[in-house]
């Protein structure tokens, strides 16, 4: 983490990334308005996504999504100064981010990003923005005879459902065919191929994870932390001897699928419960339906 030069100096540097002109517009906030990332030590960069904006002069609605950002200090953590709420229309004063040279940052992402200077009105009404919100909240479903009923989660650009996977329940996410889309034909077709042979794929996932991670599981078992958490040498609830090395066969048997995500190109991630071999970390198996599995790791 970079060390802070002082809030005023950091604010000056932050402001330099944005145009001098201050403009006013209406914005319709999205779900994510209360988050912040570390800017430098002791200083935060809160942000608020918006679904659309409207010109104050003629009311023209711009349906391009965007983001408002600003700097805050530790003392501002409660509400991050502006206390913005999701799905609300605000009148804001802001400064557009300067264009970056090619290769520095995504031009698409930067095109509609602003520094928030002031909130001049809250909870306002605007017919065009209200229509955007109504459309955004409209439920969209995919019905499939084999896989079940999936609902669109627009904030993440995927369809989700709880799907029976052998003897387990698995949360399945299908990536939309395009950004801000309302179909997931590509991901569904790929998932149907996997789900039609769930037993076979589950066996392959378990075997691959065991091959890649059993040695690491034994390393974790040998740590002092493991001993401190009550290793008595007796059998644990899964039927294994806590003091004995974990075998690949035992590893494969102990893990259980919990989530699965796949996109239109067939890139997938299978998330498995670790049965406490990694103290509750999730096991991730990544690959492509055509090219096979290429990575297994732990996260969380």
């Amino acid at each position: 983490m970079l060390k802070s030069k002082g809030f005023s100096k950091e604010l000056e540097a932050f402001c330099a990334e944005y145009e001098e002109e201050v403009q006013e517009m209406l914005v319709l906030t999205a779900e994510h308005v209360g988050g912040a990332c570390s800017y430098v030590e002791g200083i935060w960069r809160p942000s608020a996504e918006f679904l659309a904006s409207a010109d104050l002069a003629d009311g023209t609605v711009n349906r391009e999504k965007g983001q408002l950002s600003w700097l805050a200090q530790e003392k501002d953590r409660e509400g991050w100064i502006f206390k913005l709420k999701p799905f609300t229309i605000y009148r804001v004063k802001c400064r557009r981010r300067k264009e970056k040279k090619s290769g520095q940052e995504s031009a698409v992402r930067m095109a509609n990003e602003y520094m928030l200077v002031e909130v001049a009105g809250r909870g306002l009404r605007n017919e065009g923005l209200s229509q955007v919100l109504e459309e955004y909240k409209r439920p969209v479903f995919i019905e499939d005879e084999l896989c079940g009923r999936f609902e669109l989660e627009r904030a993440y650009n995927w369809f989700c459902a709880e799907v029976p996977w052998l003897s387990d329940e698995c949360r399945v996410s299908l990536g939309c065919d395009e950004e801000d889309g309302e179909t997931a034909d590509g991901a569904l077709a790929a998932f149907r191929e996997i789900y039609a042979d769930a037993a076979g794929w589950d066996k392959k996932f378990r075997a691959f994870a065991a091959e890649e991670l059993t040695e690491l599981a034994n390393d974790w078992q040998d740590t002092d932390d493991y001993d401190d958490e009550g290793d008595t040498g007796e059998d644990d609830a899964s039927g294994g001897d806590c003091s004995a090395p974990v075998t690949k066969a035992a590893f494969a048997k102990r893990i259980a699928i919990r989530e699965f995500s796949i996109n239109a190109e067939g890139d997938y991630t299978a998330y498995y419960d670790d049965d406490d071999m990694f103290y509750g970390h999730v096991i991730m198996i990544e690959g492509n339906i055509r090219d096979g599995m290429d990575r297994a790791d732990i996260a969380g």
Side-chain angles (χ1 to χ4, degrees):
M1 181 184 295
L2 296 175
K3 189 174 181 180
S4 172
K5 302 174 185 176
F7 186 73
S8 60
K9 288 289 187 181
E10 298 299 349
L11 181 60
E12 181 180 346
F14 180 76
C15 290
E17 299 178 15
Y18 297 83
E19 302 290 350
E20 290 292 333
E21 179 188 3
V22 176
Q23 55 184 287
E24 287 191 57
M25 61 183 182
L26 298 180
V27 295
L28 168 63
T29 54
E31 292 98 326
H32 308 300
V33 296
C37 61
S38 177
Y39 186 71
V40 292
E41 185 178 359
I43 299 176
W44 296 87
R45 181 179 178 271
S47 62
E49 297 177 5
F50 59 86
L51 299 175
S53 58
D55 186 276
L56 288 174
D58 59 14
T60 303
V61 172
N62 179 0
R63 288 175 173 259
E64 182 182 6
K65 292 182 179 180
Q67 179 175 280
L68 303 170
S69 300
W70 61 99
L71 290 191
Q73 302 177 72
E74 286 289 333
K75 64 183 179 62
D76 303 317
R77 291 177 69 98
E78 184 64 36
W80 295 122
I81 301 175
F82 296 109
K83 298 180 172 60
L84 300 181
K85 297 180 180 180
F87 301 135
T88 303
I89 298 174
Y90 293 94
R91 179 170 178 163
V92 298
K93 295 182 180 181
C94 54
R95 293 164 51 180
R96 181 184 289 273
R97 184 153 191 170
K98 295 177 181 177
E99 292 186 6
K100 293 285 185 177
K101 294 180 180 179
S102 178
Q104 284 186 293
E105 292 192 58
S106 168
V108 174
R109 186 180 70 80
M110 305 300 297
N112 213 28
E113 184 176 339
Y114 299 82
M115 182 183 79
L116 179 58
V117 177
E118 180 184 337
V119 175
R122 299 172 178 271
L124 306 179
R125 293 180 178 274
N126 178 275
E127 184 176 348
L129 293 179
S130 295
Q131 183 179 347
V132 171
L133 181 58
E134 183 179 344
E135 293 173 3
Y136 186 83
K137 289 189 171 184
R138 174 176 54 84
V140 178
F141 299 96
I142 290 175
E143 301 278 357
D144 185 77
E145 291 183 0
L146 176 64
C147 305
R149 188 177 195 239
F150 294 79
E151 183 172 4
L152 176 61
E153 294 188 359
R154 294 183 188 272
Y156 303 102
N157 207 47
W158 59 40
F159 285 81
C160 289
E162 293 291 331
V163 177
W165 182 288
L166 304 179
S167 59
D168 295 302
E169 282 292 318
C170 180
R171 179 175 172 82
V172 176
S173 302
L174 308 175
C176 290
D177 293 317
E178 58 187 10
E179 190 69 27
D180 298 325
E182 294 190 353
T183 62
D185 297 340
L188 178 59
F191 180 65
R192 282 179 60 90
E193 188 172 333
I194 290 174
Y195 194 58
D197 183 24
W201 279 91
D202 186 69
K203 184 177 180 180
K204 288 188 287 187
F205 289 146
R206 290 171 181 269
F208 184 79
E211 183 67 33
E212 296 292 308
L213 298 175
T214 297
E215 183 177 349
L216 182 61
N218 282 301
D219 289 342
W220 279 59
Q221 179 171 284
D222 290 338
T223 63
D224 291 337
D225 287 342
Y226 186 92
D227 294 330
D228 290 343
E229 291 196 16
D231 179 12
T232 63
E234 298 175 358
D235 288 354
D236 64 11
S238 63
D241 184 346
C242 291
S243 63
V246 178
T247 65
K248 292 179 181 179
F251 185 106
K253 184 177 180 181
R254 289 173 63 175
I255 64 177
I257 197 165
R258 290 294 178 262
E259 296 185 28
F260 186 86
S261 64
I262 191 164
N263 65 19
E265 289 73 40
D267 300 319
Y268 60 73
T269 304
Y271 301 87
Y272 276 73
D273 186 293
D274 73 332
D275 194 34
D276 284 333
M277 288 185 287
F278 301 107
Y279 307 145
H281 287 65
V282 66
I283 294 170
M284 301 167 53
I285 302 118
E286 298 176 344
N288 179 276
I289 192 170
R290 301 298 170 216
D291 302 328
M293 285 162 267
D294 57 24
R295 180 172 177 263
D297 208 342
I298 59 174

